[in-house]
């Protein structure tokens, strides 16, 4: 059974372990050194209660349950620093190799998109290092549409890498816009 729940600070170690191979051997992340557990906790805390961090688990559904193995995580973050961008967020998702291609990503990313929609964000932006057909299918499967490509913007593992930009409309833009609700105030309880 797969569970989806809000990530807890106790999940930082599992999240760091999932992310590390993507940093060390992949091109999905443009980081060069994988962040440690403490850095992941810091990143989670820096969301200031506004942006959700979700995990997919097998077995139990509590961060305190040793059988609740975290097999993936998805989160949203600030799209850009300037205040006019605050109605838009950027999304990311990472899975263990074993859970990739199993439907976990769609379940987890779908839950993130539903949460962002309920919070009142207007758009979500996803960036994908290209080529990456699996990630493109995942993004488009939950409602993202391709917007463009930045050519050769990252250099990693001896190669220049393009990134594609995908956008998902979450809510109809209003004038004046409504401030997104904090994730911390949404009353999301762990499964």
């Amino acid at each position: 059974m797969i569970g989806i729940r809000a990530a807890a600070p106790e999940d930082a170690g599992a999240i760091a372990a999932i992310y590390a191979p993507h940093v060390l051997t992949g091109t999905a992340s443009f980081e060069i050194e994988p962040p440690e557990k403490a850095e992941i906790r810091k990143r989670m805390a820096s969301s200031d209660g506004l942006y959700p961090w979700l995990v997919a688990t097998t077995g139990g559904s509590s961060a305190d349950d040793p059988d609740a193995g975290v097999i993936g995580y998805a989160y949203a973050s600030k799209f850009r620093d300037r205040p006019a961008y605050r109605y838009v967020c950027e999304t990311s998702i990472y899975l263990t190799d074993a859970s990739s291609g199993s439907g976990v990503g769609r379940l987890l990313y779908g839950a993130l998109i539903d949460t962002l929609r309920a919070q009142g964000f207007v758009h979500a932006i996803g960036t994908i290092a290209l080529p990456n057909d699996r990630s493109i299918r995942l993004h488009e499967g939950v409602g993202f549409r391709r917007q463009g490509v930045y050519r050769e913007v990252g250099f990693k593992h001896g190669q220049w890498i393009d990134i594609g930009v995908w956008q998902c409309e979450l809510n109809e833009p209003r004038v004046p816009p409504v401030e997104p609700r904090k994730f911390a105030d949404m009353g999301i309880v762990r499964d």
Side-chain angles (χ1 to χ4, degrees), residues 50-154:
L50 178 60
Y51 300 103
W53 282 68
L54 304 178
V55 291
T57 64
T58 59
S61 59
S62 166
D64 300 322
D65 184 344
D67 295 326
V70 175
I71 57 172
Y73 70 100
Y75 67 96
S77 58
K78 187 183 292 188
F79 173 60
R80 300 274 166 93
D81 282 331
R82 301 220 180 1
Y85 291 115
R86 69 188 178 276
Y87 309 101
V88 177
C89 59
E90 188 165 357
T91 59
S92 296
I93 182 169
Y94 293 94
L95 305 173
T96 61
D97 282 344
S99 58
S100 185
S102 68
V104 170
R106 185 166 179 137
L107 184 68
L108 178 58
Y109 219 27
L112 179 67
I113 295 303
D114 289 346
T115 301
L116 295 169
R117 189 170 281 126
Q119 285 181 261
F121 284 100
V122 177
H123 295 283
I125 306 296
T127 57
I128 303 171
L130 300 175
N132 191 335
D133 292 340
R134 183 175 276 171
S135 187
I136 291 170
R137 281 192 305 274
L138 172 61
H139 279 78
E140 292 181 352
V142 298
F144 284 82
R145 297 295 165 250
R146 186 179 185 139
Q147 297 302 314
V149 174
Y150 292 114
R151 301 273 177 217
E152 299 173 337
V153 294

